[in-house]
Amino acid sequence: MFSDNKKDKKAYENSSSQNIIAKGTNIVGDFSSEGDLRIDGTIEGNLTTPGKIVVGKSGVIKGTLNGSDAYFEGKFSGNLTLTGTLTLKSSAHIEGEVVLGKLEVEPGATFNVNCVMKGALKELNNSNTSQNLKKGRSA
């Protein structure tokens, strides 16, 4: 019934790398995870993960979110900081302060925020520097 097989153990570790907050679940307070998150319930507070965050249509986050990449179909209000890409599907509703690397928005999504794109600014500065160097000018 129970096995010490390394293959079984590895499969178990891989299957537990995503956490799911199911519809109807409400979490109030600070929440952190080392793995990816799927949120179909409600979180009010500070949420931190180095992994990917997926917020389903019934998912709601109110507070602070820090992570790498996020995919939203649901709602968010507060401070959102991502090192990677924020993807908004048509049903997404985002309000607050946003700092991110890249942004993908489907038509129909609501994006009422103050937004800073850190990654785009870095790429733009590097692009201008290389263009100026090709023309024989300094940056």
Side-chain angles (χ1 to χ4, degrees):
M1 186 167 153
F2 294 101
S3 172
D4 282 340
N5 188 337
K6 288 183 181 181
K7 185 177 179 181
D8 291 340
K9 193 174 188 179
K10 190 173 186 178
Y12 173 75
E13 288 171 0
N14 288 338
S15 69
S16 65
S17 65
Q18 181 180 24
N19 294 293
I20 299 172
I21 309 301
K23 185 176 181 177
T25 302
N26 296 313
I27 296 175
V28 178
D30 296 344
F31 185 85
S32 65
S33 171
E34 291 298 318
D36 296 343
L37 286 171
R38 173 158 182 107
I39 300 165
D40 292 309
T42 301
I43 296 179
E44 293 183 44
N46 300 316
L47 173 59
T48 304
T49 181
K52 180 178 180 180
I53 299 109
V54 175
V55 180
K57 285 186 179 181
S58 62
V60 177
I61 300 174
K62 296 177 184 176
T64 301
L65 172 59
N66 293 299
S68 60
D69 297 305
Y71 178 95
F72 272 87
E73 292 180 316
K75 297 179 180 179
F76 177 86
S77 63
N79 295 319
L80 173 62
T81 303
L82 300 174
T83 57
T85 303
L86 173 61
T87 302
L88 304 179
K89 301 306 279 181
S90 61
S91 59
H93 185 94
I94 310 296
E95 294 183 355
E97 303 285 327
V98 176
V99 177
L100 47 84
K102 295 180 183 176
L103 177 64
E104 295 179 28
V105 183
E106 269 189 10
T110 302
F111 192 61
N112 294 326
V113 302
N114 289 322
C115 183
V116 175
M117 295 182 70
K118 298 271 185 177
L121 181 61
K122 189 174 185 179
E123 290 172 15
L124 181 62
N125 286 340
N126 289 341
S127 176
N128 286 340
T129 301
S130 62
Q131 287 176 355
N132 287 335
L133 291 175
K134 286 179 185 176
K135 294 178 183 177
R137 293 183 247 157
S138 62

